[in-house]
Amino acid sequence: MRYISIILVILTVYSAGCAHKSAMAPSAAQQTPSSSRVNETPPLTEKQKPSDGKNETRDFSDKDLDVLYEEVDAGVVHVADPVAPLNRALFYFNDKLYFWVLKPVAKGYKYVVPTPVRVGVKNFFYNLITPVRLANCVLQGKFRSAGVEIQRFVINSTAGMLGFADLAQNNPDLTAGEEDLGQTFGSYGVGNGFYIVWPFLGPSTLRDTVGMAGDLFLNPANYVRPAEAAIGITAYEKVNNTSFHIGDYEAIKEASLDPYSAIRDAYVQYRNKKIKE
């Protein structure tokens, strides 16, 4: 049991970083891409943009991914990177972990689990972390968005069978959102600080790292006991989310001459954009 728990920890922590999430963003195990210079990353063509199949249901995280593709073609962004050699080493470690562990697991899971089931699981976990989004909407003074979160939670938790069916999406006034403590700090004027690549977690900044730690306290899944059960639940969520994004990270990595710089700069651009929304 102990060895199984260790494996689940690796899968959970690695894929959790950029989701923060979501979703990330892309699925978290994949690292959010971009370029440090406009001429370093050629524009992605439609053929380069991966598709998860015509029958896949895409959610707000996929819209965010489209934004990231736009960031690849955007201008230069600057963020302090005082520990770049260490960050690059950790980037390489995370890259191998994705290709050797998370991707094979997600591909096998996708092969055996039908799309409607995976979509239902994704909806359930999105509904489950409503407290994270709700609290940060209130902290940012987005009271209308807070009201939307409450309405979505009530509708999806009851008629939507604990959130497995996202019935609220049928109402255009109840559009799904995404808020976290890192964005809240940013709305208060807190800067990125410096860039950090965490082992397993992926790209982040000092501000977003503190925010991510704070959001953990509002995630109900973290209070499941025993701890092994909580780890297993979170790991399953991340594998399920990753199954919708297989190929995204690969396509952007191939389009970048320097994937490390591309991912660093697009991550910062993406987070800055979310704060302004």
Side-chain angles (χ1 to χ4, degrees):
M1 185 67 180
R2 179 173 301 175
Y3 295 108
I4 295 176
S5 300
I6 293 174
I7 293 174
L8 291 176
V9 169
I10 293 175
L11 289 174
T12 301
V13 179
Y14 176 71
S15 55
C18 287
H20 166 69
K21 14 102 120 206
S22 338
M24 287 153 122
S27 171
Q30 292 117 325
Q31 303 184 47
T32 311
S34 178
S35 66
S36 58
R37 296 179 182 271
V38 174
N39 60 357
E40 282 184 349
T41 305
L44 293 176
T45 64
E46 290 300 322
K47 292 183 178 180
Q48 287 175 304
K49 292 185 179 182
S51 173
D52 199 42
K54 295 182 180 180
N55 296 325
E56 293 292 358
T57 300
R58 317 284 284 188
D59 66 355
F60 75 95
S61 297
D62 305 291
K63 295 178 182 178
D64 292 338
L65 183 63
D66 292 335
V67 172
L68 292 178
Y69 278 114
E70 295 175 3
E71 300 296 352
V72 172
D73 301 326
V76 178
V77 63
H78 298 286
V79 63
D81 193 1
V83 290
L86 177 59
N87 281 340
R88 284 184 179 272
L90 293 175
F91 169 82
Y92 179 80
F93 170 81
N94 290 340
D95 178 85
K96 296 305 178 185
L97 189 62
Y98 167 70
F99 284 109
W100 295 349
V101 180
L102 186 60
K103 182 179 179 180
V105 172
K107 287 183 67 176
Y109 172 79
K110 179 180 179 180
Y111 180 78
V112 299
V113 180
T115 297
V117 175
R118 292 187 290 121
V119 171
V121 171
K122 178 178 60 178
N123 291 339
F124 170 80
F125 281 109
Y126 181 79
N127 188 64
L128 184 66
I129 61 171
T130 296
V132 175
R133 298 190 302 274
L134 176 60
N136 283 289
C137 283
V138 173
L139 289 174
Q140 295 178 42
K142 298 180 178 179
F143 299 112
R144 181 185 179 282
S145 295
V148 168
E149 290 293 344
I150 294 175
Q151 293 178 71
R152 285 182 56 84
F153 181 77
V154 172
I155 293 173
N156 290 339
S157 297
T158 54
M161 298 176 294
L162 300 180
F164 283 97
D166 187 3
L167 299 182
Q169 68 179 345
N170 297 325
N171 187 335
D173 294 328
L174 298 180
T175 304
E178 181 183 10
E179 299 292 344
D180 56 57
L181 192 55
Q183 291 174 232
T184 298
F185 288 150
S187 69
Y188 291 159
V190 178
N192 286 303
F194 56 89
Y195 183 66
I196 307 172
V197 176
W198 290 107
F200 309 114
L201 294 175
S204 186
T205 61
L206 180 59
R207 179 193 64 204
D208 288 346
T209 297
V210 176
M212 180 171 57
D215 287 336
L216 291 176
F217 290 99
L218 294 175
N219 188 339
N222 293 323
Y223 293 94
V224 175
R225 292 295 178 268
E228 289 83 357
I231 292 171
I233 291 172
T234 306
Y236 174 60
E237 174 197 3
K238 302 312 174 183
V239 169
N240 184 77
N241 287 343
T242 301
S243 70
F244 290 98
H245 299 284
I246 297 173
D248 292 341
Y249 171 63
E250 295 88 329
I252 301 173
K253 182 181 177 182
E254 291 175 0
S256 305
L257 296 179
D258 182 4
Y260 169 79
S261 297
I263 289 172
R264 177 194 62 198
D265 296 344
Y267 173 80
V268 175
Q269 286 182 323
Y270 169 72
R271 293 295 292 170
N272 289 344
K273 182 179 181 67
K274 296 298 293 182
I275 291 171
K276 294 177 181 178
E277 291 179 351

